[in-house]
Amino acid sequence: MTNNKPTLKARLFEGLFDKNPILVQLLGTCPTLATTTSLQNGFGMGVSAMAVLILSNLLISLLRKFIPKQVRIAAYIVIISGFVTAVELLIKAYLPELDKSLGLFIPLIVVNCIILARAEAYASKNGPVDSMLDGLFMGLGFTFALSLLGAIREILGAGTLLGFNVMWPSYKPMLIFVLPAGAFLTLGCLIAAVNAIQNYAKKKSGGKQ
Amino acid sequence: MTIGSLIGILITSILIENYIFSRFLGICPFLGLSEKPSTAVGMGCAVTFVMTISSAVTWLVYTFILVPAGLEYLKTIAFILIIASLVQLIEMFLKKSVPSLYTALGIYLPLITTNCAILGAALLCIQNEYNLLESIIFSFGSAVGWTMAIVIFAGVRARVAFSETPKCFKGTPIALVTACLIAMAFAGFQGVELPF
């Protein structure tokens, strides 16, 4: 560990790959599995969670000196659920289609472990700008993983991407990938792929460490 | 409302719309706590206990406080606070009156507040426009289904631990693939049409 502040680029990379909330830290698996039936849904979920993450990180970091230690978790939950309700109402008003397909999982962003984990681990100890950036990078990592998962499932399960046909005409969609079972399988294989890449990287740099 | 429709809700919530394998609620503890069957049973009991009580309480609060006051949009905030305080209350009550149950469920209770299955059940009861009895039956059935899923999964995982898996699949990835296979089995219930 060094005391130097990591550069923005390093932190972006950390959020997207090294400490990706879904693929590496395994936080927030419920919405990941449930909402990634297509790229559009996965992306929508990712962006909604990212908005809540950035705003709640900002507010919690601003209030971090006023919130008593004993009741901090309860205070965080109230702040988070306030923002979630706002996002929920906005989506209902402007994107009714997305609201229909995400349904229950928008209010459930409240109990998404990523948001509470970042509030506790980062925003409660760092300044507002840093916390907002942390929310942005972690949110990007979350959105990235959800979009990737959604894209894979949509291509294999329906043969489309964002509603356009992308596979050859005789391709028969494998329905299993849009069903719950396919969600587990795709996420399992993605995490295994990430592990394999990490093992390979470790082996390559193994001589130095 | 007949007895038949209640049984229908019960069976639907346990098998056909199983919380883990078709609704994806409560996956975090499902992956985290299912390494040993005994832990899985403990967590399952705690969830069943809290989910049934919290759904009843949130239903009452929603119907008699939020709706008359026109504050339906506050339900997420209200429900999460109710669940958090309810978990604390149950913990204190069990510690005082039923210490044996407290020692059995103790460590699992605080974890339940952030279990999305509990909040999910409370929200689903409102969304499906159930009455009080239906809400209680629904959340009890969902919790039983959740428990069943996590116990089955823990049993399978205990077996998988002894088999040889490729290095990159060790741990969570193979658990997810296992869950996929069980989910396929549960998908068989999807087409079932209940006679009531």
Side-chain angles (χ1 to χ4, degrees):
Chain A
M1 280 286 273
T2 51
N3 285 325
N4 295 336
K5 250 190 177 170
T7 59
L8 284 185
K9 205 174 152 196
R11 286 178 61 191
L12 175 65
F13 191 78
E14 201 172 60
L16 280 179
F17 304 105
D18 281 0
K19 283 192 186 164
N20 187 299
I22 293 174
L23 301 176
V24 180
Q25 300 188 57
L26 291 175
L27 293 171
T29 29
C30 303
T32 311
L33 293 167
T35 60
T36 51
T37 46
S38 70
L39 176 58
Q40 196 185 350
N41 290 348
F43 186 73
M45 182 71 214
V47 172
S48 325
M50 181 160 76
V52 176
L53 191 56
I54 295 173
L55 293 171
S56 64
N57 261 7
L58 172 67
L59 192 62
I60 287 167
S61 127
L62 284 174
L63 293 175
R64 70 186 189 281
K65 295 199 176 112
F66 303 101
I67 298 176
K69 260 228 142 58
Q70 295 83 357
V71 294
R72 67 181 193 285
I73 302 283
Y76 297 162
I77 290 182
V78 175
I79 292 172
I80 294 168
S81 53
F83 283 122
V84 168
T85 307
V87 167
E88 189 186 354
L89 292 175
L90 281 175
I91 293 181
K92 256 203 191 111
Y94 293 107
L95 301 164
E97 247 175 67
L98 189 67
D99 177 64
K100 227 180 244 165
S101 53
L102 296 184
L104 187 64
F105 284 91
I106 300 174
L108 285 181
I109 295 176
V110 176
V111 280
N112 191 324
C113 346
I114 298 171
I115 296 176
L116 199 59
R118 290 327 290 177
E120 171 74 11
Y122 199 92
S124 60
K125 294 180 193 112
N126 292 284
V129 178
D130 271 342
S131 303
M132 252 177 95
L133 284 174
D134 180 72
L136 176 69
F137 294 146
M138 282 295 154
L140 279 177
F142 185 63
T143 313
F144 169 69
L146 279 174
S147 308
L148 186 63
L149 208 58
I152 295 176
R153 286 181 67 192
E154 194 182 345
I155 292 173
L156 293 176
T160 59
L161 193 62
L162 290 172
F164 299 107
N165 275 321
V166 287
M167 301 300 263
W168 57 97
S170 62
Y171 176 76
K172 285 217 174 71
M174 293 182 269
L175 192 62
I176 182 106
F177 278 96
V178 282
L179 294 178
F184 287 111
L185 185 65
T186 319
L187 184 61
C189 293
L190 260 187
I191 294 174
V194 170
N195 283 351
I197 294 170
Q198 277 181 341
N199 287 345
Y200 177 73
K202 243 183 240 160
K203 221 187 251 169
K204 238 181 141 185
S205 64
K208 285 178 198 165
Q209 284 166 355
Chain B
M1 186 182 60
T2 57
I3 296 289
S5 76
L6 288 183
I7 297 175
I9 289 177
L10 189 66
I11 296 178
T12 309
S13 57
I14 295 180
L15 291 177
I16 302 174
E17 297 198 327
N18 185 283
Y19 253 37
I20 289 177
F21 296 121
S22 97
R23 283 197 195 274
F24 297 115
L25 290 169
I27 306 274
C28 301
F30 172 68
L31 290 174
L33 286 169
S34 59
E35 264 152 15
K36 265 199 245 148
S38 57
T39 343
V41 173
M43 186 67 188
C45 293
V47 165
T48 312
F49 195 69
V50 175
M51 202 191 269
T52 315
I53 297 174
S54 72
S55 293
V57 175
T58 49
W59 189 89
L60 289 171
V61 168
Y62 184 77
T63 316
F64 292 112
I65 298 176
L66 293 183
V67 173
L71 295 173
E72 288 95 335
Y73 63 90
L74 283 183
K75 63 177 188 291
T76 314
I77 303 183
F79 285 7
I80 191 82
L81 287 177
I82 292 171
I83 291 168
S85 41
L86 202 68
V87 170
Q88 287 277 307
L89 273 180
I90 292 174
E91 201 178 345
M92 284 179 336
F93 170 76
L94 287 182
K95 206 173 186 177
K96 276 260 156 104
S97 349
V98 203
S100 57
L101 195 59
Y102 176 76
T103 36
L105 301 183
I107 45 168
Y108 305 113
L109 278 174
L111 292 174
I112 284 180
T113 316
T114 52
N115 186 336
C116 53
I118 310 278
L119 183 61
L123 291 170
L124 277 173
C125 288
I126 305 296
Q127 199 179 315
N128 294 349
E129 291 170 3
Y130 285 147
N131 62 31
L132 183 58
L133 189 60
E134 284 171 334
S135 301
I136 293 174
I137 301 263
F138 171 76
S139 46
F140 176 74
S142 306
V144 169
W146 191 86
T147 309
M148 191 177 73
I150 192 173
V151 172
I152 293 176
F153 188 58
V156 178
R157 256 183 115 172
R159 274 298 183 86
V160 171
F162 289 113
S163 54
E164 233 167 80
T165 42
K167 198 178 163 204
C168 59
F169 267 97
K170 278 222 162 68
T172 318
I174 195 70
L176 283 166
V177 174
T178 316
C180 158
L181 296 176
I182 305 176
M184 275 191 214
F186 267 82
F189 289 115
Q190 298 267 322
V192 175
E193 269 184 40
L194 295 170
F196 15 75

